[in-house]
Amino acid sequence: MNAHPQTIQIFLPSGDPQGIRTASITTRIVQVVEIPRLRLDEFLERPEANSVGIYILFGENDETERPRAYIGQTGNFGNRLKQHNEKKGLWWNRVVVAFSLTQSLTVTHAHYLEWLALSRATQAQRFEMDNGTAGTRPHTLPALEAECREVFETIDILLTTLGYPIFEPLIRNRSLIVTSQVTEVFSASGEQIPPSEFYCRTSGVDGRAQYTEEGLVVLAGSYGRAEVSSSFLRHNYAQKRQTMLDQGLLRIEGDRICFTRDTLFKSPSPAAVALLGRAANGWTEWKDSTGRTLEEAMGRSARANECEA
């Protein structure tokens, strides 16, 4: 996603922020509509239900608790979504549709956008995809492909704005978080930014992570102790680790527990706990290459975060 200032308009047709929401960039013709499954009949009465475009079902895997999604394309949202409502199971609870306000998208556009969206979502690994495979890239003329990629960029921005960053990788090129205490790293605009990579290392533990706008992302290949302490068992840490094992984010290899893919933690302490197998304050356990703690790099008080795990 190319970051630059933009104006996004979000409209609530019923006035309910939990109901149907429409989002658009004011200078572009692409619009997305987010529809709760319980409000599907309401959407079917709207004119955009007859549009061509792509749609994404959002929900959760009941067994693993991982966010789940299904990406599809259609020449008529209304007909397709009615079929999903009847046959696609109970796991999804919201759907987002994307279409052209000028009705300029064709089924050929939709096929390419579906393939591109599924490919990007699979690469990002934020959601468990109900589609299975990404399918085969459809043959598309260069001009139409360029048009689709521009449309996709708008869809990506709008989905992320609505809270569905399905196409955004957990790790970007660099963190954009600014702190006045770090002077050795600079962004392209000259802003000071903290180092993004931190380490949790001790006997039997080798964790690598990047601090991002969303939290701490522990990188695939990081490993920690499979054996845990009594303090670990007294809290809900054991259940959290078991959930991660069930989700496939972790696997046990002998006396180690290993991260199988990049994993986001909203705060640093649960990430340290998962690796160390004991209660821990992540703000002091995670350190940069110079030995400075995450607390020091971010200018935060560790005392206020000791219990956040």
Side-chain angles (χ1 to χ4, degrees):
M1 183 190 301
N2 296 322
H4 55 86
Q6 301 185 71
T7 299
I8 295 176
Q9 182 180 69
I10 297 178
F11 175 62
L12 310 177
S14 67
D16 181 1
Q18 295 298 318
I20 292 176
R21 297 192 293 172
T22 70
S24 59
I25 297 176
T26 54
T27 56
R28 302 188 188 181
I29 63 171
V30 177
Q31 185 176 82
V32 303
V33 181
E34 178 191 10
I35 309 138
R37 190 168 184 173
L38 289 175
R39 301 285 186 91
L40 185 58
D41 287 343
E42 182 180 331
F43 170 75
L44 296 179
E45 299 298 321
R46 297 171 61 92
E48 52 263 44
N50 299 316
S51 298
V52 176
I54 66 169
Y55 61 91
I56 309 176
L57 307 178
F58 288 102
E60 186 177 86
N61 184 317
D62 290 337
E63 296 181 359
T64 65
E65 299 181 2
R66 282 200 69 197
R68 190 176 185 182
Y70 175 89
I71 297 174
Q73 60 78 31
T74 181
N76 184 290
F77 287 128
N79 293 338
R80 191 70 176 119
L81 294 181
K82 281 190 288 186
Q83 293 173 356
H84 281 313
N85 193 40
E86 295 168 359
K87 301 178 181 179
K88 197 57 183 175
L90 301 177
W91 65 266
W92 66 278
N93 50 47
R94 301 182 88 84
V95 58
V96 178
V97 303
F99 59 95
S100 167
L101 291 169
T102 61
Q103 301 297 315
S104 57
L105 293 183
T106 66
V107 173
T108 303
H109 288 95
H111 276 290
Y112 187 87
L113 286 168
E114 176 191 38
W115 169 82
L116 181 59
L118 187 52
S119 298
R120 287 282 298 274
T122 302
Q123 292 170 7
Q125 294 187 332
R126 283 182 180 262
F127 285 72
E128 178 183 296
M129 300 308 299
D130 196 56
N131 296 72
T133 64
T136 304
R137 176 173 179 163
H139 174 70
T140 308
L141 295 175
L144 192 143
E145 179 178 336
E147 185 177 352
C148 285
R149 290 186 176 275
E150 183 175 339
V151 168
F152 178 81
E153 179 185 351
T154 302
I155 295 171
D156 184 6
I157 293 169
L158 295 175
L159 278 170
T160 302
T161 300
L162 289 174
Y164 301 101
I166 185 171
F167 306 125
E168 294 300 305
L170 289 174
I171 298 295
R172 302 183 186 182
N173 291 335
R174 61 176 65 194
S175 173
L176 299 177
I177 301 173
V178 179
T179 174
S180 60
Q181 295 192 8
V182 182
T183 58
E184 67 269 33
V185 182
F186 294 86
S187 67
S189 62
E191 294 176 313
Q192 296 173 347
I193 59 176
S196 61
E197 189 148 300
F198 292 85
Y199 308 91
C200 180
R201 287 172 174 161
T202 186
S203 176
V205 177
D206 187 358
R208 294 175 55 243
Q210 288 196 20
Y211 196 73
T212 73
E213 296 92 333
E214 297 178 85
L216 194 75
V217 178
V218 178
L219 303 183
S222 296
Y223 63 84
R225 301 169 183 147
E227 185 177 355
V228 298
S229 69
S230 58
S231 65
F232 187 94
L233 296 173
R234 282 198 303 269
H235 296 81
N236 64 344
Y237 307 146
Q239 180 58 47
K240 289 182 179 179
R241 180 184 275 195
Q242 186 58 52
T243 298
M244 295 174 69
L245 285 166
D246 293 341
Q247 292 174 341
L249 299 174
L250 293 174
R251 69 167 176 261
I252 295 178
E253 298 179 354
D255 60 353
R256 291 181 178 180
I257 195 157
C258 303
F259 279 82
T260 62
R261 56 176 174 266
D262 297 346
T263 303
L264 172 65
F265 292 85
K266 295 297 184 181
S267 57
S269 292
V273 168
L275 289 165
L276 295 168
R278 58 170 172 78
N281 178 7
W283 291 98
T284 56
E285 296 287 356
W286 291 99
K287 299 176 182 179
D288 67 15
S289 59
T290 67
R292 181 173 49 182
T293 66
L294 181 58
E295 168 201 356
E296 293 168 334
M298 297 297 120
R300 297 201 45 177
S301 171
R303 293 194 185 115
N305 298 285
E306 287 176 352
C307 299
E308 69 177 30

